[in-house]
Amino acid sequence: MAEDELLASRVAIVTGAASGMGRVMARALAGAGAKIAGVDVDAAGLGRLAAEPVLAGKFLCTVTDVSKTAECRRAVQQVMETFGALDILINCAGVSMSTAAGHSDEARIKFFEADPEGWQRILAINTIGAFLMARFAAEPMIKRGWGRIIHVTTSFDTMLAAGLSAYGASKAALEASCVSFAKDLEGTGVTVNILVPGGPTETPGFFPPGKPRPPIMLDPEIMAVPVVWLASSQSDGISACRFIARDWDRSLPTAEAAARARAPAAWPELAQAASAARGHPM
């Protein structure tokens, strides 16, 4: 099947679609033939995405705050009413630690100096929002007997980094939930996986102007090829895994590239190491 037909007849929701990695993945899925519902609080950003030629005639603008149950339910209902189906959910919506920095624009802040409401807001969007979208999206997928739920988390080091307590916790919780969701969905035809860029990525709002930045930044476009493969029937039967986009070798056949970029989600090797240290098997 041609690359631009790989997702023909599929319908995808992409949260955080107005910018950054979400925008890249929405564009990539549309280029592979999918109809796209862009979910974001940024109506203007969604409007700019809708104007792109690759999305002409197959884009639904859904202004949604994913931290709110009613809005997530409404977004899924709107997709079903508009397109008649839902096959793919990309949970990319997220906010950075600066949300807990009060009136400053710090990229990192110590937990005991964080704004309590901002700290909770990070988890409400990054973790609870992903749960809510998956909660409502899973129902039509299960009825259809096929579906893809793909979470965007982060690197392990980032989860444990100083000054990123809420952001790290939100992504660690999402990583763990991937495995739990996958187990709950066994036998339904719906899979749950993780896709991460593999390092600091050029994402609007995550690295405030004038603040220190990592010396090497990944291009969000790195997500385009892996997300199309993960969202397609080529990934049938693969669930509870994490894929690192940085490790995806585009010169290889897609199945081989996917295998090289793949590992179990939620780092089960940590449990194995702890068990070995105690001197008995898991």
Side-chain angles (χ1 to χ4, degrees), residues 24 54 61 85-86 92 107 121 128 151 166 172 201 222 254 271 282:
V24 165
V54 71
C61 218
L86 175 57
C92 187
R121 177 72 175 160
I128 297 173
H151 297 321
T201 308
I222 200 171
T254 52
M282 291 178 63

mmCIF file of all heavy atoms in Angstrom, residues 24 54 61 85-86 92 107 121 128 151 166 172 201 222 254 271 282:
data_model
loop_
_atom_site.group_PDB
_atom_site.id
_atom_site.type_symbol
_atom_site.label_atom_id
_atom_site.label_comp_id
_atom_site.label_asym_id
_atom_site.label_seq_id
_atom_site.Cartn_x
_atom_site.Cartn_y
_atom_site.Cartn_z
ATOM 1 N N VAL A 24 2.820 18.270 13.982
ATOM 2 C CA VAL A 24 3.573 17.395 13.084
ATOM 3 C C VAL A 24 2.843 16.076 12.887
ATOM 4 O O VAL A 24 2.698 15.578 11.760
ATOM 5 C CB VAL A 24 4.988 17.148 13.634
ATOM 6 C CG1 VAL A 24 5.661 15.975 12.925
ATOM 7 C CG2 VAL A 24 5.840 18.409 13.495
ATOM 8 N N VAL A 54 -2.763 19.664 3.110
ATOM 9 C CA VAL A 54 -2.854 18.228 3.374
ATOM 10 C C VAL A 54 -4.095 17.881 4.190
ATOM 11 O O VAL A 54 -4.567 16.736 4.170
ATOM 12 C CB VAL A 54 -1.577 17.724 4.087
ATOM 13 C CG1 VAL A 54 -1.518 18.220 5.529
ATOM 14 C CG2 VAL A 54 -1.483 16.206 4.052
ATOM 15 N N CYS A 61 -12.020 20.890 13.629
ATOM 16 C CA CYS A 61 -11.442 21.758 14.654
ATOM 17 C C CYS A 61 -12.240 21.553 15.940
ATOM 18 O O CYS A 61 -13.439 21.806 15.967
ATOM 19 C CB CYS A 61 -11.567 23.203 14.184
ATOM 20 S SG CYS A 61 -10.184 24.199 14.587
ATOM 21 N N ALA A 85 -16.860 7.476 12.902
ATOM 22 C CA ALA A 85 -15.955 6.466 13.441
ATOM 23 C C ALA A 85 -14.820 7.153 14.175
ATOM 24 O O ALA A 85 -14.604 8.359 14.040
ATOM 25 C CB ALA A 85 -15.394 5.595 12.324
ATOM 26 N N LEU A 86 -14.087 6.366 14.971
ATOM 27 C CA LEU A 86 -12.864 6.830 15.615
ATOM 28 C C LEU A 86 -11.930 5.636 15.740
ATOM 29 O O LEU A 86 -12.287 4.615 16.337
ATOM 30 C CB LEU A 86 -13.150 7.426 16.997
ATOM 31 C CG LEU A 86 -11.921 7.836 17.817
ATOM 32 C CD1 LEU A 86 -11.057 8.828 17.055
ATOM 33 C CD2 LEU A 86 -12.343 8.412 19.168
ATOM 34 N N CYS A 92 -1.116 13.904 22.902
ATOM 35 C CA CYS A 92 0.088 14.726 22.868
ATOM 36 C C CYS A 92 -0.061 16.024 23.659
ATOM 37 O O CYS A 92 0.930 16.689 23.950
ATOM 38 C CB CYS A 92 0.459 15.044 21.420
ATOM 39 S SG CYS A 92 2.034 15.891 21.213
ATOM 40 N N ALA A 107 11.665 27.649 33.454
ATOM 41 C CA ALA A 107 11.411 26.331 32.877
ATOM 42 C C ALA A 107 11.427 25.242 33.940
ATOM 43 O O ALA A 107 10.845 24.170 33.749
ATOM 44 C CB ALA A 107 12.453 26.022 31.808
ATOM 45 N N ARG A 121 -2.344 21.603 37.892
ATOM 46 C CA ARG A 121 -2.804 21.798 36.515
ATOM 47 C C ARG A 121 -1.966 20.964 35.546
ATOM 48 O O ARG A 121 -2.480 20.442 34.563
ATOM 49 C CB ARG A 121 -2.710 23.287 36.162
ATOM 50 C CG ARG A 121 -3.097 23.647 34.737
ATOM 51 C CD ARG A 121 -4.570 23.528 34.500
ATOM 52 N NE ARG A 121 -4.930 23.981 33.155
ATOM 53 C CZ ARG A 121 -6.054 23.644 32.549
ATOM 54 N NH1 ARG A 121 -6.956 22.884 33.155
ATOM 55 N NH2 ARG A 121 -6.323 24.088 31.333
ATOM 56 N N ILE A 128 -4.284 13.288 33.575
ATOM 57 C CA ILE A 128 -5.730 13.071 33.645
ATOM 58 C C ILE A 128 -6.380 13.330 32.289
ATOM 59 O O ILE A 128 -7.291 12.609 31.871
ATOM 60 C CB ILE A 128 -6.352 13.938 34.749
ATOM 61 C CG1 ILE A 128 -5.790 13.528 36.108
ATOM 62 C CG2 ILE A 128 -7.880 13.817 34.744
ATOM 63 C CD1 ILE A 128 -6.214 14.418 37.261
ATOM 64 N N HIS A 151 0.346 7.396 23.471
ATOM 65 C CA HIS A 151 0.693 8.448 24.420
ATOM 66 C C HIS A 151 2.076 9.007 24.090
ATOM 67 O O HIS A 151 2.986 8.254 23.717
ATOM 68 C CB HIS A 151 0.768 7.904 25.849
ATOM 69 C CG HIS A 151 -0.501 7.370 26.399
ATOM 70 N ND1 HIS A 151 -1.732 7.945 26.183
ATOM 71 C CD2 HIS A 151 -0.737 6.288 27.205
ATOM 72 C CE1 HIS A 151 -2.661 7.254 26.830
ATOM 73 N NE2 HIS A 151 -2.082 6.242 27.457
ATOM 74 N N ALA A 166 6.396 18.067 38.882
ATOM 75 C CA ALA A 166 5.055 17.813 38.348
ATOM 76 C C ALA A 166 5.115 17.243 36.938
ATOM 77 O O ALA A 166 4.382 16.304 36.607
ATOM 78 C CB ALA A 166 4.226 19.096 38.366
ATOM 79 N N ALA A 172 5.530 10.073 34.056
ATOM 80 C CA ALA A 172 5.750 8.740 34.623
ATOM 81 C C ALA A 172 4.418 8.030 34.845
ATOM 82 O O ALA A 172 4.278 6.827 34.578
ATOM 83 C CB ALA A 172 6.523 8.854 35.936
ATOM 84 N N THR A 201 13.130 18.575 22.657
ATOM 85 C CA THR A 201 12.548 18.836 21.336
ATOM 86 C C THR A 201 12.054 20.270 21.248
ATOM 87 O O THR A 201 11.560 20.829 22.237
ATOM 88 C CB THR A 201 11.386 17.854 21.081
ATOM 89 O OG1 THR A 201 11.858 16.517 21.308
ATOM 90 C CG2 THR A 201 10.871 17.960 19.664
ATOM 91 N N ILE A 222 10.670 14.593 13.695
ATOM 92 C CA ILE A 222 11.171 13.245 13.973
ATOM 93 C C ILE A 222 10.031 12.278 14.318
ATOM 94 O O ILE A 222 10.150 11.064 14.187
ATOM 95 C CB ILE A 222 12.205 13.310 15.124
ATOM 96 C CG1 ILE A 222 13.107 12.081 15.137
ATOM 97 C CG2 ILE A 222 11.515 13.481 16.473
ATOM 98 C CD1 ILE A 222 14.267 12.206 16.102
ATOM 99 N N THR A 254 10.246 -0.490 7.343
ATOM 100 C CA THR A 254 9.575 0.039 8.530
ATOM 101 C C THR A 254 9.497 -0.964 9.689
ATOM 102 O O THR A 254 9.664 -0.585 10.843
ATOM 103 C CB THR A 254 8.164 0.528 8.192
ATOM 104 O OG1 THR A 254 7.445 -0.511 7.514
ATOM 105 C CG2 THR A 254 8.216 1.773 7.330
ATOM 106 N N ALA A 271 12.156 -3.333 37.675
ATOM 107 C CA ALA A 271 11.633 -4.343 38.595
ATOM 108 C C ALA A 271 12.528 -5.573 38.618
ATOM 109 O O ALA A 271 12.760 -6.178 39.671
ATOM 110 C CB ALA A 271 10.207 -4.732 38.200
ATOM 111 N N MET A 282 11.262 -12.462 40.042
ATOM 112 C CA MET A 282 10.005 -11.708 40.133
ATOM 113 C C MET A 282 8.835 -12.678 40.330
ATOM 114 O O MET A 282 8.846 -13.769 39.821
ATOM 115 C CB MET A 282 9.796 -10.887 38.862
ATOM 116 C CG MET A 282 10.773 -9.751 38.725
ATOM 117 S SD MET A 282 10.514 -8.859 37.170
ATOM 118 C CE MET A 282 8.842 -8.229 37.431
#
